[in-house]
Amino acid sequence: MKKILVPIDFSEYSEYALKVASIIAKQHNAEIIALHMLGLSEAVLIKNEAQEAKEAMYYMKLAERQFDTFLDKEYLEGVTVIETVKSYKVFSEINDVAHENDVGLIIMGSHGVSGLREEVFIGSNTEKVVRSSDIPVLVIKNPVDDFTVKEVVFACDFKIENIRAYHNAMQLFDALGANVHLLYVNLPGEQFRNTDQIEERVKEFLFKADSGKLEMYDKVTYYNDYTVESGVFNYSNKIDADIIAIPTHGRRGLAHFFNGSIGEDIANHANKPVITFKI
């Protein structure tokens, strides 16, 4: 994790993400790529005349000047920050920027419990990045003074399709030196599974994921609750977790996690930082 990508819209929410990125960068001797997307259309950018071309250049220069003020922070002292301004308006292209620069983590700011709202790089646009990103996305909703990752809850239904997300999560949390709690939320009604059924699924998952080893089996918690969302939140609060981690189906959206809209609810309503890993 030598490079961290932080999409910037110059709001207080993107500053939350920038500050967390600075803390992680200092801990791991990483550099930050601060990316601002103008959202200009290709038609505007390719014109050689008329007011549109001048406006495009104006906004490019304006963004560069805004960086000068926005990045003038004490907490960035000693951190290498690369400023990048792109004309993109398709949020999946952030994933391209991340791959081109060999980024290990994307950190984004988002609104808190009020849910997702249409603002640049905040709310619904954060969700768009999560859906299209092959790289883990850490979503920060509140100001963070001392970001430490000691206890992590990785909520999963332990279906085999989650192995890729599990591998990526374990690799990242190992680099962060975090203690990972694997969580399965058991629900009442038709979705209820008895102890033997749950253990069989979990053992099969870990056996395949860890090449026959079951070293993480003792890290699994079965938590009973009325909804997956409340189970994840209640257990995370119980152990005072620093981060909630969830697998996602990428372009198919958060709504496919655990069936229905549970993953989206977790990402929207969690007060704690949420990190997503593509299935």
Side-chain angles (χ1 to χ4, degrees):
M1 190 171 56
K2 295 302 180 183
K3 295 183 180 180
I4 301 169
L5 178 64
V6 183
I8 299 291
D9 71 343
F10 307 112
S11 71
E12 61 179 322
Y13 296 98
S14 54
E15 186 172 353
Y16 299 162
L18 183 64
K19 189 169 185 178
V20 169
S22 72
I23 295 171
I24 297 176
K26 290 176 181 178
Q27 293 172 343
H28 298 274
N29 193 29
E31 65 182 30
I32 296 172
I33 299 175
L35 170 66
H36 179 66
M37 280 179 31
L38 293 177
L40 300 176
S41 68
E42 185 177 356
V44 169
L45 293 172
I46 63 175
K47 288 186 177 181
N48 295 320
E49 55 186 4
Q51 188 64 27
E52 288 87 349
K54 292 181 180 180
E55 289 179 1
M57 291 302 299
Y58 168 79
Y59 287 116
M60 291 283 285
K61 294 296 183 182
L62 178 61
E64 292 171 357
R65 289 197 296 270
Q66 285 180 294
F67 266 129
D68 292 338
T69 302
F70 191 80
L71 298 178
D72 185 20
K73 302 292 192 301
E74 288 187 8
Y75 57 75
L76 289 175
E77 291 183 5
V79 179
T80 299
V81 181
I82 300 172
E83 303 169 18
T84 303
V85 179
K86 298 292 185 180
S87 60
Y88 301 145
K89 62 185 301 181
V90 180
F91 289 90
S92 61
E93 291 177 312
I94 291 180
N95 190 51
D96 298 333
V97 174
H99 280 287
E100 290 168 5
N101 291 277
D102 196 25
V103 167
L105 179 65
I106 298 173
I107 305 180
M108 298 191 68
S110 179
H111 285 294
V113 294
S114 58
L116 301 179
R117 290 187 286 181
E118 289 285 345
E119 294 188 31
V120 178
F121 284 117
I122 302 173
S124 63
N125 289 331
T126 300
E127 183 184 358
K128 292 174 185 176
V129 175
V130 168
R131 288 183 176 185
S132 59
S133 177
D134 297 323
I135 294 164
V137 180
L138 174 60
V139 181
I140 305 295
K141 299 181 180 180
N142 301 298
V144 178
D145 292 323
D146 182 21
F147 185 78
T148 56
V149 184
K150 296 181 179 178
E151 303 296 329
V152 177
V153 171
F154 182 80
C156 181
D157 59 8
F158 293 95
K159 292 181 179 178
I160 300 303
E161 64 179 3
N162 292 297
I163 288 179
R164 175 189 175 187
Y166 168 81
H167 283 161
N168 291 336
M170 294 304 106
Q171 182 179 9
L172 178 60
F173 295 140
D174 181 63
L176 294 175
N179 181 38
V180 181
H181 303 259
L182 302 179
L183 176 66
Y184 179 91
V185 179
N186 199 23
L187 304 177
E190 295 180 358
Q191 300 183 62
F192 173 81
R193 289 179 174 81
N194 64 33
T195 301
D196 290 340
Q197 291 172 323
I198 299 174
E199 289 182 345
E200 181 180 358
R201 174 185 283 196
V202 171
K203 286 181 178 178
E204 179 185 7
F205 177 89
L206 293 176
F207 187 86
K208 292 184 177 180
D210 294 332
S211 301
K213 301 177 182 178
L214 293 175
E215 296 176 355
M216 289 297 294
Y217 184 72
D218 291 337
K219 297 282 189 178
V220 181
T221 295
Y222 309 118
Y223 195 88
N224 299 317
D225 215 316
Y226 293 105
T227 68
V228 173
E229 181 184 358
S230 61
V232 172
F233 292 161
N234 289 334
Y235 180 72
S236 298
N237 290 331
K238 180 179 180 180
I239 68 167
D240 196 22
D242 300 299
I243 285 182
I244 296 171
I246 57 174
T248 73
H249 277 83
R251 296 179 189 277
R252 285 158 55 192
L254 291 170
H256 290 266
F257 172 70
F258 278 132
N259 298 321
S261 61
I262 297 168
E264 187 176 75
D265 291 339
I266 291 173
N268 291 352
H269 302 149
N271 286 319
K272 297 178 182 292
V274 175
I275 186 167
T276 64
F277 296 88
K278 188 174 182 180
I279 291 176

